[in-house]
mmCIF file of all heavy atoms in Angstrom:
data_model
loop_
_atom_site.group_PDB
_atom_site.id
_atom_site.type_symbol
_atom_site.label_atom_id
_atom_site.label_comp_id
_atom_site.label_asym_id
_atom_site.label_seq_id
_atom_site.Cartn_x
_atom_site.Cartn_y
_atom_site.Cartn_z
ATOM 1 N N SER A 7 3.075 17.912 3.699
ATOM 2 C CA SER A 7 3.334 18.609 4.949
ATOM 3 C C SER A 7 2.021 18.970 5.619
ATOM 4 O O SER A 7 1.008 19.190 4.964
ATOM 5 C CB SER A 7 4.167 19.872 4.693
ATOM 6 O OG SER A 7 3.446 20.763 3.872
ATOM 7 N N PHE A 8 2.049 19.026 6.929
ATOM 8 C CA PHE A 8 0.858 19.371 7.688
ATOM 9 C C PHE A 8 0.403 20.769 7.313
ATOM 10 O O PHE A 8 1.180 21.701 7.236
ATOM 11 C CB PHE A 8 1.142 19.322 9.191
ATOM 12 C CG PHE A 8 -0.010 19.811 10.020
ATOM 13 C CD1 PHE A 8 -1.124 19.018 10.206
ATOM 14 C CD2 PHE A 8 0.003 21.074 10.565
ATOM 15 C CE1 PHE A 8 -2.189 19.468 10.958
ATOM 16 C CE2 PHE A 8 -1.058 21.541 11.315
ATOM 17 C CZ PHE A 8 -2.158 20.733 11.511
ATOM 18 N N GLY A 9 -0.869 20.924 7.056
ATOM 19 C CA GLY A 9 -1.428 22.234 6.760
ATOM 20 C C GLY A 9 -1.342 22.651 5.310
ATOM 21 O O GLY A 9 -1.728 23.752 4.963
ATOM 22 N N SER A 10 -0.830 21.772 4.427
ATOM 23 C CA SER A 10 -0.678 22.183 3.039
ATOM 24 C C SER A 10 -2.017 22.464 2.372
ATOM 25 O O SER A 10 -2.101 23.307 1.484
ATOM 26 C CB SER A 10 0.103 21.132 2.251
ATOM 27 O OG SER A 10 -0.598 19.904 2.249
ATOM 28 N N LEU A 13 -7.229 25.068 5.371
ATOM 29 C CA LEU A 13 -7.630 26.467 5.182
ATOM 30 C C LEU A 13 -7.184 27.039 3.840
ATOM 31 O O LEU A 13 -7.139 28.248 3.653
ATOM 32 C CB LEU A 13 -7.092 27.347 6.318
ATOM 33 C CG LEU A 13 -7.469 26.946 7.732
ATOM 34 C CD1 LEU A 13 -6.781 27.845 8.745
ATOM 35 C CD2 LEU A 13 -8.973 26.978 7.922
ATOM 36 N N ASN A 14 -6.820 26.173 2.887
ATOM 37 C CA ASN A 14 -6.382 26.592 1.544
ATOM 38 C C ASN A 14 -5.223 27.585 1.575
ATOM 39 O O ASN A 14 -5.186 28.539 0.810
ATOM 40 C CB ASN A 14 -7.557 27.180 0.757
ATOM 41 C CG ASN A 14 -8.613 26.145 0.481
ATOM 42 O OD1 ASN A 14 -8.306 24.987 0.227
ATOM 43 N ND2 ASN A 14 -9.866 26.542 0.536
ATOM 44 N N LEU A 15 -4.261 27.403 2.467
ATOM 45 C CA LEU A 15 -3.104 28.279 2.564
ATOM 46 C C LEU A 15 -2.018 27.817 1.610
ATOM 47 O O LEU A 15 -1.622 26.654 1.639
ATOM 48 C CB LEU A 15 -2.550 28.296 3.992
ATOM 49 C CG LEU A 15 -3.474 28.840 5.074
ATOM 50 C CD1 LEU A 15 -2.816 28.693 6.440
ATOM 51 C CD2 LEU A 15 -3.816 30.286 4.801
ATOM 52 N N ASP A 16 -1.526 28.706 0.754
ATOM 53 C CA ASP A 16 -0.383 28.399 -0.105
ATOM 54 C C ASP A 16 0.885 28.560 0.707
ATOM 55 O O ASP A 16 1.005 29.495 1.500
ATOM 56 C CB ASP A 16 -0.335 29.352 -1.301
ATOM 57 C CG ASP A 16 -1.489 29.151 -2.256
ATOM 58 O OD1 ASP A 16 -1.961 28.001 -2.365
ATOM 59 O OD2 ASP A 16 -1.906 30.129 -2.891
ATOM 60 N N GLN A 17 1.869 27.658 0.486
ATOM 61 C CA GLN A 17 3.132 27.793 1.207
ATOM 62 C C GLN A 17 3.937 28.984 0.711
ATOM 63 O O GLN A 17 4.710 29.556 1.446
ATOM 64 C CB GLN A 17 3.949 26.516 1.101
ATOM 65 C CG GLN A 17 3.396 25.410 1.974
ATOM 66 C CD GLN A 17 4.307 24.211 1.989
ATOM 67 O OE1 GLN A 17 4.933 23.874 0.994
ATOM 68 N NE2 GLN A 17 4.398 23.561 3.118
ATOM 69 N N ALA A 18 3.756 29.355 -0.562
ATOM 70 C CA ALA A 18 4.454 30.517 -1.112
ATOM 71 C C ALA A 18 3.597 31.150 -2.200
ATOM 72 O O ALA A 18 2.921 30.452 -2.946
ATOM 73 C CB ALA A 18 5.799 30.100 -1.686
ATOM 74 N N GLN A 19 3.619 32.456 -2.243
ATOM 75 C CA GLN A 19 2.943 33.186 -3.307
ATOM 76 C C GLN A 19 3.655 34.506 -3.495
ATOM 77 O O GLN A 19 4.333 34.985 -2.589
ATOM 78 C CB GLN A 19 1.476 33.402 -2.989
ATOM 79 C CG GLN A 19 1.193 34.178 -1.729
ATOM 80 C CD GLN A 19 -0.300 34.239 -1.415
ATOM 81 O OE1 GLN A 19 -1.104 33.626 -2.078
ATOM 82 N NE2 GLN A 19 -0.644 34.993 -0.411
ATOM 83 N N LEU A 37 7.204 38.495 -2.057
ATOM 84 C CA LEU A 37 6.962 37.084 -1.765
ATOM 85 C C LEU A 37 6.411 36.908 -0.363
ATOM 86 O O LEU A 37 6.896 37.530 0.577
ATOM 87 C CB LEU A 37 8.256 36.282 -1.879
ATOM 88 C CG LEU A 37 8.969 36.312 -3.222
ATOM 89 C CD1 LEU A 37 10.314 35.603 -3.108
ATOM 90 C CD2 LEU A 37 8.116 35.662 -4.278
ATOM 91 N N THR A 38 5.416 36.058 -0.234
ATOM 92 C CA THR A 38 4.908 35.662 1.072
ATOM 93 C C THR A 38 5.187 34.181 1.227
ATOM 94 O O THR A 38 4.762 33.373 0.398
ATOM 95 C CB THR A 38 3.394 35.930 1.187
ATOM 96 O OG1 THR A 38 3.169 37.324 1.009
ATOM 97 C CG2 THR A 38 2.872 35.506 2.551
ATOM 98 N N ILE A 39 5.945 33.837 2.254
ATOM 99 C CA ILE A 39 6.339 32.451 2.519
ATOM 100 C C ILE A 39 5.671 32.005 3.807
ATOM 101 O O ILE A 39 5.753 32.697 4.821
ATOM 102 C CB ILE A 39 7.878 32.314 2.659
ATOM 103 C CG1 ILE A 39 8.591 32.949 1.467
ATOM 104 C CG2 ILE A 39 8.285 30.867 2.858
ATOM 105 C CD1 ILE A 39 8.339 32.280 0.147
ATOM 106 N N ARG A 40 5.016 30.854 3.768
ATOM 107 C CA ARG A 40 4.384 30.263 4.958
ATOM 108 C C ARG A 40 5.017 28.891 5.215
ATOM 109 O O ARG A 40 4.509 27.880 4.742
ATOM 110 C CB ARG A 40 2.888 30.089 4.730
ATOM 111 C CG ARG A 40 2.120 31.370 4.656
ATOM 112 C CD ARG A 40 0.642 31.047 4.432
ATOM 113 N NE ARG A 40 -0.171 32.233 4.411
ATOM 114 C CZ ARG A 40 -0.739 32.774 5.467
ATOM 115 N NH1 ARG A 40 -0.576 32.233 6.648
ATOM 116 N NH2 ARG A 40 -1.466 33.855 5.352
ATOM 117 N N PRO A 41 6.116 28.847 5.975
ATOM 118 C CA PRO A 41 6.752 27.561 6.242
ATOM 119 C C PRO A 41 5.882 26.625 7.089
ATOM 120 O O PRO A 41 5.990 25.418 7.000
ATOM 121 C CB PRO A 41 8.044 27.917 6.952
ATOM 122 C CG PRO A 41 7.921 29.336 7.352
ATOM 123 C CD PRO A 41 6.843 29.961 6.543
ATOM 124 N N THR A 42 5.017 27.203 7.926
ATOM 125 C CA THR A 42 4.070 26.421 8.721
ATOM 126 C C THR A 42 2.723 27.133 8.684
ATOM 127 O O THR A 42 2.609 28.232 8.137
ATOM 128 C CB THR A 42 4.516 26.289 10.197
ATOM 129 O OG1 THR A 42 4.454 27.577 10.806
ATOM 130 C CG2 THR A 42 5.905 25.698 10.321
ATOM 131 N N MET A 43 1.720 26.524 9.295
ATOM 132 C CA MET A 43 0.398 27.117 9.297
ATOM 133 C C MET A 43 0.371 28.457 10.045
ATOM 134 O O MET A 43 -0.375 29.360 9.700
ATOM 135 C CB MET A 43 -0.603 26.150 9.940
ATOM 136 C CG MET A 43 -2.038 26.587 9.791
ATOM 137 S SD MET A 43 -3.200 25.354 10.353
ATOM 138 C CE MET A 43 -3.048 25.511 12.109
ATOM 139 N N ILE A 44 1.224 28.626 11.044
ATOM 140 C CA ILE A 44 1.218 29.837 11.866
ATOM 141 C C ILE A 44 2.198 30.879 11.348
ATOM 142 O O ILE A 44 1.924 32.071 11.384
ATOM 143 C CB ILE A 44 1.540 29.482 13.341
ATOM 144 C CG1 ILE A 44 0.459 28.568 13.896
ATOM 145 C CG2 ILE A 44 1.680 30.725 14.185
ATOM 146 C CD1 ILE A 44 0.772 28.025 15.265
ATOM 147 N N GLN A 45 3.348 30.462 10.845
ATOM 148 C CA GLN A 45 4.389 31.397 10.418
ATOM 149 C C GLN A 45 4.067 32.032 9.067
ATOM 150 O O GLN A 45 3.514 31.386 8.183
ATOM 151 C CB GLN A 45 5.728 30.695 10.314
ATOM 152 C CG GLN A 45 6.282 30.251 11.634
ATOM 153 C CD GLN A 45 7.609 29.557 11.451
ATOM 154 O OE1 GLN A 45 7.799 28.779 10.526
ATOM 155 N NE2 GLN A 45 8.548 29.843 12.345
ATOM 156 N N ARG A 46 4.446 33.306 8.930
ATOM 157 C CA ARG A 46 4.314 34.007 7.650
ATOM 158 C C ARG A 46 5.419 35.046 7.544
ATOM 159 O O ARG A 46 5.586 35.888 8.416
ATOM 160 C CB ARG A 46 2.959 34.683 7.546
ATOM 161 C CG ARG A 46 2.729 35.290 6.176
ATOM 162 C CD ARG A 46 1.318 35.747 6.047
ATOM 163 N NE ARG A 46 1.334 37.199 5.936
ATOM 164 C CZ ARG A 46 0.264 37.928 5.813
ATOM 165 N NH1 ARG A 46 -0.929 37.381 5.830
ATOM 166 N NH2 ARG A 46 0.356 39.223 5.695
ATOM 167 N N TRP A 47 6.195 34.965 6.467
ATOM 168 C CA TRP A 47 7.279 35.903 6.193
ATOM 169 C C TRP A 47 6.978 36.628 4.892
ATOM 170 O O TRP A 47 6.542 36.012 3.921
ATOM 171 C CB TRP A 47 8.601 35.160 6.042
ATOM 172 C CG TRP A 47 9.160 34.663 7.330
ATOM 173 C CD1 TRP A 47 8.825 33.517 7.985
ATOM 174 C CD2 TRP A 47 10.143 35.296 8.127
ATOM 175 N NE1 TRP A 47 9.541 33.402 9.145
ATOM 176 C CE2 TRP A 47 10.364 34.482 9.247
ATOM 177 C CE3 TRP A 47 10.865 36.476 7.992
ATOM 178 C CZ2 TRP A 47 11.279 34.830 10.234
ATOM 179 C CZ3 TRP A 47 11.776 36.805 8.976
ATOM 180 C CH2 TRP A 47 11.979 35.984 10.087
ATOM 181 N N ASN A 48 7.221 37.942 4.862
ATOM 182 C CA ASN A 48 7.096 38.739 3.647
ATOM 183 C C ASN A 48 8.484 39.207 3.234
ATOM 184 O O ASN A 48 9.226 39.743 4.062
ATOM 185 C CB ASN A 48 6.188 39.952 3.878
ATOM 186 C CG ASN A 48 4.772 39.545 4.178
ATOM 187 O OD1 ASN A 48 4.271 38.582 3.628
ATOM 188 N ND2 ASN A 48 4.121 40.263 5.064
ATOM 189 N N TYR A 49 8.827 38.987 1.962
ATOM 190 C CA TYR A 49 10.120 39.406 1.418
ATOM 191 C C TYR A 49 9.902 40.309 0.219
ATOM 192 O O TYR A 49 8.964 40.109 -0.554
ATOM 193 C CB TYR A 49 10.922 38.194 0.932
ATOM 194 C CG TYR A 49 11.470 37.319 2.019
ATOM 195 C CD1 TYR A 49 10.732 36.269 2.527
ATOM 196 C CD2 TYR A 49 12.751 37.524 2.521
ATOM 197 C CE1 TYR A 49 11.233 35.451 3.523
ATOM 198 C CE2 TYR A 49 13.265 36.700 3.522
ATOM 199 C CZ TYR A 49 12.497 35.666 4.009
ATOM 200 O OH TYR A 49 12.992 34.868 4.994
ATOM 201 N N THR A 64 5.723 38.195 9.943
ATOM 202 C CA THR A 64 4.380 38.545 10.403
ATOM 203 C C THR A 64 3.699 37.344 11.045
ATOM 204 O O THR A 64 2.488 37.171 10.957
ATOM 205 C CB THR A 64 3.524 39.099 9.246
ATOM 206 O OG1 THR A 64 3.499 38.144 8.191
ATOM 207 C CG2 THR A 64 4.082 40.405 8.730
ATOM 208 N N THR A 65 4.495 36.523 11.714
ATOM 209 C CA THR A 65 3.982 35.366 12.429
ATOM 210 C C THR A 65 3.039 35.803 13.538
ATOM 211 O O THR A 65 3.303 36.784 14.225
ATOM 212 C CB THR A 65 5.156 34.552 13.028
ATOM 213 O OG1 THR A 65 5.977 34.108 11.952
ATOM 214 C CG2 THR A 65 4.680 33.368 13.831
ATOM 215 N N CYS A 66 1.948 35.075 13.689
ATOM 216 C CA CYS A 66 0.989 35.383 14.754
ATOM 217 C C CYS A 66 1.664 35.229 16.112
ATOM 218 O O CYS A 66 2.308 34.215 16.384
ATOM 219 C CB CYS A 66 -0.207 34.443 14.690
ATOM 220 S SG CYS A 66 -1.174 34.624 13.203
#
Side-chain angles (χ1 to χ4, degrees):
S7 63
F8 174 76
S10 62
L13 304 176
N14 295 323
L15 297 176
D16 293 329
Q17 286 187 324
Q19 60 185 5
L37 301 173
T38 300
I39 308 295
R40 291 180 177 270
T42 67
M43 189 173 75
I44 297 173
Q45 292 180 319
R46 186 171 114 180
W47 286 83
N48 295 324
Y49 288 89
T64 56
T65 299
C66 296

